Amino acid sequence: MAEFRLELDDEQKAVRDWIHGFATDVMRPAAAEWDEREETPWPVIQEAAKIGLYSLDFYAQQYFDPTGLGIPMAMEELFWGDAGIGLSIVGTGLAAVGVMANGTEEQIGTWIPQMYGDPDDVKVAAFCSSEPDAGSDVASMRTRAVYDEAKDEWVLNGTKTWATNGGIANVHVVVAVVDPDLGSKGHASFIVPPNTPGLSQGQKFKKHGIRASHTAEVVLEDVRIPGSCLLGGKEKLDERLARSRERAKAEGERSGMGVSPGGDRGSVKNAAMATFEASRPAVGAMAVGTARAAYEEALEYAKTRTQFGRPIIDNQGVAFQLADMRTQIDAARLLVWRASWMATAGQPFTAAEGSMSKLFASETAKKVTAQALQILGGNGFTREYPVERMHRDAAIYTIFEGTSEIQRLVIARTLSGMPIR
């Protein structure tokens, strides 16, 4: 187990500088165009693939970095470049994490390479969990997966929403209900292979920020997939469901109320939550990257913009804001690095450290980008400067992969041991 440290080693610094160069030379010059177009920046993704930045090998190297700092370092630099393009480049990673968290070695080896394609024919993948009536309330999920034993197939029906790369993905990872009586413990994850009949794109969303990232509904109508596409396999699922039923029964007997439909307690994790727990520090790192970019723009502007015969940074009202911005960014990074190291080292999140990192970094990004816009004044409100786009992009961090309110709920429940609602 690697010791927790606060400095990157020489190899990590070289990777960081390499990503930073790509963000500077390729992402930033293209950011405004693809934000306006609100389309997936395929040429930029292909450029990333050509140099090995958009590839299974690169993310595997960072994922298995023994210090745990590979992924957050990479995410910060990419999202320093641009959040919308950054999400288009890393959005496939959430689906890959879903397979890594729940799949067998054979499934990992079969499906993750198909999520990325190759430099001449890049592909993307989508993780589909949220639904129109089930966002934070995962226990209310309605998409069903029914097993057809005669054909050894699963049949999926339902509608997913807010899916990054939804409908345009080569591979979709779909979370569905297999036992509605168990609430969120009755969920499982499935691979929907390329060109499977019955899967279609629904509404494509026109968003406030991260507009270069494709977000859409995914409609599943009698989608039939092989039994081997159940992540983890049926034997493992049956064992997990049996344990959940036993726990629900025991709790019901203790309370004198019998088994409660939709029960959501117990230690068995559900499929979506296993993915989100693994990805929350990475989302925090994305927020740190966006916040850092806005801070740097504001700092440079404050040093060169003159009013009343002197740079505006000479005024305490501006200088103190910049001091606070930098302090909050560094604090957010430290929380992200700690959580990332803990996850890699197998240390349990006894105080919900993963949620802490995502919560603080997300709120920091919103606050810092708003302060940067204010420092630029009227210029910050125009599209001539990138701070306006950064401010719009930052809004997503307190919403996706668990809102700030949900993170606070997770932290409070973990600290108190109480079912706080």
Side-chain angles (χ1 to χ4, degrees):
M1 181 177 69
E3 294 183 357
F4 178 59
R5 63 177 188 231
L6 299 177
E7 185 177 7
L8 302 176
D9 61 29
D10 290 341
E11 183 177 348
Q12 290 168 325
K13 289 178 181 177
V15 173
R16 179 199 62 191
D17 294 344
W18 172 61
I19 300 172
H20 188 82
F22 179 83
T24 300
D25 298 337
V26 181
M27 294 175 67
R28 285 202 162 184
E33 175 189 351
W34 290 101
D35 178 72
E36 290 285 347
R37 291 175 63 167
E38 299 192 52
E39 297 174 359
T40 300
W42 291 107
V44 181
I45 299 174
Q46 188 168 35
E47 288 299 312
K50 286 179 180 178
I51 65 170
L53 181 55
Y54 182 77
S55 70
L56 170 61
D57 288 344
F58 172 74
Y59 288 105
Q61 290 172 8
Q62 304 315 309
Y63 184 84
F64 291 110
D65 181 338
T67 69
L69 302 184
I71 288 292
M73 174 268 295
M75 295 298 151
E76 179 177 337
E77 293 306 321
L78 284 170
F79 282 71
W80 173 89
D82 180 67
I85 295 177
L87 192 56
S88 286
I89 292 174
V90 307
T92 293
L94 185 59
V97 168
V99 175
M100 293 286 292
N102 301 295
T104 64
E105 289 186 9
E106 182 179 358
Q107 290 169 330
I108 292 169
T110 298
W111 295 111
I112 294 184
Q114 295 187 50
M115 294 179 175
Y116 289 93
D118 59 62
D120 295 323
D121 185 21
V122 292
K123 305 292 185 182
V124 294
F127 182 77
C128 308
S129 176
S130 294
E131 298 184 1
D133 296 318
S136 299
D137 183 12
V138 294
S140 296
M141 191 177 294
R142 295 179 181 176
T143 297
R144 289 295 308 275
V146 178
Y147 184 57
D148 184 342
E149 189 170 359
K151 296 183 178 180
D152 185 27
E153 292 180 338
W154 288 91
V155 184
L156 277 59
N157 281 281
T159 299
K160 295 296 182 177
T161 194
W162 308 122
T164 298
N165 298 329
I168 66 170
N170 194 45
V171 176
H172 291 76
V173 178
V174 177
V175 181
V177 178
V178 293
D179 188 335
D181 290 339
L182 293 175
S184 64
K185 300 298 187 292
H187 297 176
S189 290
F190 300 85
I191 291 286
V192 180
N195 303 314
T196 299
L199 184 147
S200 62
Q201 179 183 308
Q203 175 186 5
K204 178 186 174 181
F205 296 103
K206 298 182 73 67
K207 304 187 298 295
H208 174 67
I210 55 167
R211 300 197 304 195
S213 173
H214 176 96
T215 309
E217 291 181 332
V218 174
V219 180
L220 304 144
E221 297 179 302
D222 291 329
V223 172
R224 285 186 168 268
I225 58 175
S228 60
C229 287
L230 165 65
L231 289 179
K234 194 166 188 306
E235 182 178 350
K236 183 178 178 181
L237 172 66
D238 289 341
E239 291 175 357
R240 178 167 63 82
L241 294 178
R243 289 197 301 271
S244 294
R245 293 186 190 107
E246 286 299 317
R247 287 190 177 94
K249 181 179 178 181
E251 290 178 358
E253 289 174 349
R254 284 197 297 270
S255 66
M257 297 173 63
V259 178
S260 174
D264 193 31
R265 291 179 291 174
S267 60
V268 180
K269 295 179 181 178
N270 98 320
M273 290 301 101
T275 301
F276 292 143
E277 285 179 14
S279 64
R280 277 172 180 159
V283 176
M286 298 173 189
V288 171
T290 300
R292 190 184 110 213
Y295 158 76
E296 291 177 2
E297 289 287 338
L299 176 63
E300 183 62 24
Y301 185 88
K303 290 161 65 176
T304 57
R305 172 69 167 172
T306 59
Q307 289 287 283
F308 305 105
R310 61 181 183 177
I312 63 173
I313 199 170
D314 281 358
N315 299 300
Q316 286 188 1
V318 173
F320 285 7
Q321 283 193 75
L322 289 162
D324 286 343
M325 292 158 72
R326 176 59 187 267
T327 300
Q328 290 158 0
I329 291 167
D330 281 12
R333 183 184 298 109
L334 290 174
L335 284 171
V336 167
W337 281 19
R338 180 184 68 168
S340 299
W341 171 79
M342 290 178 68
T344 299
Q347 299 290 323
F349 288 161
T350 56
E353 287 87 350
S355 288
M356 281 186 184
S357 69
K358 199 267 185 185
L359 170 65
F360 189 81
S362 298
E363 296 290 342
T364 294
K366 282 189 68 174
K367 183 175 181 179
V368 166
T369 55
Q371 288 176 302
L373 192 150
Q374 189 70 23
I375 289 171
L376 268 69
N379 286 327
F381 200 66
T382 72
R383 295 186 185 180
E384 297 299 315
Y385 290 78
V387 167
E388 173 271 340
R389 185 178 67 254
M390 295 168 184
H391 182 243
R392 286 188 285 107
D393 291 341
I396 193 59
Y397 298 123
T398 62
I399 298 172
F400 73 172
E401 294 199 49
T403 64
S404 288
E405 291 74 20
I406 289 295
Q407 305 307 326
R408 291 184 176 98
L409 187 63
V410 170
I411 296 166
R413 284 176 173 176
T414 302
L415 295 177
S416 68
M418 302 296 290
I420 300 168
R421 296 187 181 277

